[in-house]
Amino acid sequence: MSRKEGWKHYHTIWGMLFLGWFVSYIDRTATGPIISYMIEHEVAFFADVSNPHAIGGLVGSLFFAGFMLTQSPGGFLGDRFGYRAIIVLSIFWAGVATILTGIAGGLLTFIIFRVLLGLGEGVFYSNDRSYIAYHSPPEKVGLGMGIALIGVSMGLTVATLGVPLLLGWAEPYFGKDAWRIPFFVLGGITIISGVLIARFLKPKQWAPGTDHSSPGVKAEYRKALPPLFGYCAVFLAIVLGIYVVATRFGVSDIGIALMLTALCPVLIIFLYRRKKEEIEPILKNRNLFLIYLVFIPIMWHLWFYGFWAVSIVQDFGGSALVTAALVASFNGLAGVIGFPLGGMISDRAAVKPNGRRNVLATQLAIVTALTFVFAGYVMAGFHHPVVLSVLLFVSGLFFFSSHPVAHALANDLAPAEQRGSMFGMLNLIAEIGAILSPVVSGVIRDASGNWGVPLLLDAGLMGAAFFLVIAVSAKALKPAATAA
């Protein structure tokens, strides 16, 4: 922001939502490095198993199944009880679930707490996007979304690099239980952050004529909590039921992941029948639906690297865990620049015919090319850490800068009164990629012996996202109106 403008309260809102994204991502990203550590050291429920990457990937997929299922309900709850209420409840939920993961005594208990984390964090996204859109000036919505999303990058980076350091510190004191310590530390940080967010996210004052019944204004915590618990209880039973029954009947890890992704169309059909008037405008809009599909490869790419980056670098480079984490962290670190840069570019392109669409297509084309380059480099036997770091950073720069562009484009295409529901639907469908990515990639890695084929698959999916974006037509859209 310029010095002339000075600090506005919507800047505080952006900062608090940055913090929300940061703690959400350290909590979920920690799973990958911790599982990589458990596989390497053969501790707890990863001792003496023949397919450790497949099992580890399945844990990630189960988390994202829970995360997926509360996307649309999160949007509905935010539209009904206020975006701010759902945001704050999500953060506290995440902190408690992360701490509980540290006391897990077996694989099933570990999965339960990871699914609970996913269920609680799943309601954050649609309300964060909607709260920014409501409180930011129309010409700065993309920038606000980008700045808040820097928290994603920082969370990814801190968890990718910080968790191995925590594990290294804890190992001499706690031995085989060292993997528990990061969950206790990160969960505590999340709860403290929740206190700050609850205190500073609410606006200081309202302009005359403000509609206090608007979801961008009200925050009905007590009314929101019972239905939130209700949704999560039902979805937890569904996800665990699928897992327990499938494992008992010998269904493969990929088969379980496919069963979990099938919950997405089932939930959409259920929601459509129950809330047709709310769902129909955001589901039958061709351009919006294409954006939903674009996010499937985007989330695949995000969590392929977010979950397995340390293992990929370690496998090809033969590095120690901390060294591999340092190289892998350059991908997430790129978002510190990429997210706000993408937001600024998005706002400037908004007034041009198909402006945001064209920017998004260019970004995805570059990410696709760089992913193929990265795959070719490591598969050819090269593993210089500087080259790997540069490739991961540059690819991450374009990848993360695409997010605020895509979010702002979706915001333009959606009816203003249904932004929460639209963002919930977007992330519901997008999580198909997040569910499949960890487990499919892990299974392929166990079968092939290295990460080459999963990298090529990831690059191909990003190429598919590029062609989907090209099919979007959003000519000369004006930024959606906000309350700021």
Side-chain angles (χ1 to χ4, degrees), residues 165-246:
L165 292 173
L166 267 176
L167 290 167
W169 170 83
E171 191 172 2
Y173 301 99
F174 300 96
K176 292 184 177 181
D177 287 324
W179 64 269
R180 302 179 187 274
I181 303 306
F183 289 120
F184 297 144
V185 173
L186 300 182
I189 292 172
T190 301
I191 290 176
I192 293 171
S193 299
V195 174
L196 293 174
I197 292 169
R199 170 67 179 83
F200 293 105
L201 190 62
K202 55 186 178 182
K204 291 182 178 179
Q205 59 185 4
W206 296 106
T210 297
D211 180 8
H212 290 272
S213 65
S214 167
V217 179
K218 63 183 179 181
E220 299 174 338
Y221 294 98
R222 292 184 180 179
K223 293 181 179 179
L225 198 55
L228 178 59
F229 271 118
Y231 276 117
C232 290
V234 171
F235 292 146
L236 177 64
I238 291 172
V239 172
L240 290 182
I242 290 174
Y243 171 74
V244 171
V245 172

Side-chain angles (χ1 to χ4, degrees), residues 133 136-142 346-352 356 408-409 411-414 416 419 474-482:
S136 302
E139 71 278 6
K140 295 185 179 181
V141 168
S346 172
D347 289 336
R348 292 185 179 184
V351 296
K352 299 177 182 178
R356 280 177 170 150
L409 177 59
N411 183 70
D412 288 343
L413 294 166
R419 287 177 187 153
K475 297 181 180 178
L477 283 173
K478 296 180 179 180
T482 71

Side-chain angles (χ1 to χ4, degrees), residues 34-373:
I34 290 173
I35 287 178
S36 295
Y37 171 86
M38 296 168 79
I39 291 172
E40 181 182 357
H41 291 78
E42 297 183 351
V43 297
F45 30 85
F46 284 93
D48 303 321
V49 295
S50 59
N51 57 338
H53 294 90
I55 295 174
L58 181 60
V59 172
S61 296
L62 289 162
F63 162 84
F64 284 113
F67 189 81
M68 174 187 74
L69 289 172
T70 50
Q71 293 301 314
S72 281
F76 296 141
L77 293 174
D79 289 338
R80 184 176 178 185
F81 301 111
Y83 307 137
R84 177 160 47 98
I86 306 303
I87 289 168
V88 173
L89 290 174
S90 174
I91 298 300
F92 280 107
W93 185 300
V96 173
T98 299
I99 290 174
L100 290 175
T101 307
I103 67 173
L107 180 60
L108 181 59
T109 313
F110 189 89
I111 287 172
I112 289 173
F113 292 136
R114 288 289 90 184
V115 174
L116 281 172
L117 174 66
L119 291 167
E121 289 193 344
V123 301
F124 181 86
Y125 169 85
S126 56
N127 292 286
D128 153 85
R129 303 290 86 183
S130 301
Y131 202 67
I132 290 174
Y134 186 90
H135 290 286
S136 302
E139 71 278 6
K140 295 185 179 181
V141 168
L143 177 61
M145 290 183 175
I147 288 176
L149 284 176
I150 295 175
V152 171
S153 176
M154 294 300 295
L156 278 167
T157 304
V158 168
T160 301
L161 185 57
V163 167
L165 292 173
L166 267 176
L167 290 167
W169 170 83
E171 191 172 2
Y173 301 99
F174 300 96
K176 292 184 177 181
D177 287 324
W179 64 269
R180 302 179 187 274
I181 303 306
F183 289 120
F184 297 144
V185 173
L186 300 182
I189 292 172
T190 301
I191 290 176
I192 293 171
S193 299
V195 174
L196 293 174
I197 292 169
R199 170 67 179 83
F200 293 105
L201 190 62
K202 55 186 178 182
K204 291 182 178 179
Q205 59 185 4
W206 296 106
T210 297
D211 180 8
H212 290 272
S213 65
S214 167
V217 179
K218 63 183 179 181
E220 299 174 338
Y221 294 98
R222 292 184 180 179
K223 293 181 179 179
L225 198 55
L228 178 59
F229 271 118
Y231 276 117
C232 290
V234 171
F235 292 146
L236 177 64
I238 291 172
V239 172
L240 290 182
I242 290 174
Y243 171 74
V244 171
V245 172
T247 52
R248 181 167 296 180
F249 284 93
V251 178
S252 67
D253 295 324
I254 290 182
I256 295 174
L258 290 173
M259 293 171 68
L260 294 172
T261 57
L263 293 173
C264 174
V266 170
L267 182 58
I268 290 174
I269 292 171
F270 173 78
L271 292 172
Y272 184 81
R273 290 181 175 179
R274 289 282 305 272
K275 302 175 182 289
K276 183 177 180 180
E277 292 183 0
E278 297 178 45
I279 293 295
E280 192 169 37
I282 62 174
L283 196 59
K284 290 192 173 182
N285 183 311
R286 174 185 174 275
N287 285 329
L288 271 178
F289 193 76
L290 287 170
I291 296 295
Y292 300 159
L293 295 180
V294 166
F295 268 89
I296 295 176
I298 286 177
M299 295 306 294
W300 178 294
H301 182 86
L302 175 63
W303 287 107
F304 174 57
Y305 281 102
F307 204 87
W308 291 123
V310 175
S311 181
I312 293 169
V313 175
Q314 194 172 22
D315 266 16
F316 283 115
S319 309
L321 185 66
V322 174
T323 304
L326 178 61
V327 174
S329 68
F330 277 89
N331 182 254
L333 189 63
V336 174
I337 301 173
F339 281 127
L341 179 63
M344 290 186 288
I345 294 172
S346 172
D347 289 336
R348 292 185 179 184
V351 296
K352 299 177 182 178
N354 284 319
R356 280 177 170 150
R357 185 208 69 174
N358 293 341
V359 170
L360 181 59
T362 302
Q363 291 165 321
L364 295 181
I366 294 172
V367 173
T368 301
L370 289 173
T371 305
F372 274 118
V373 170

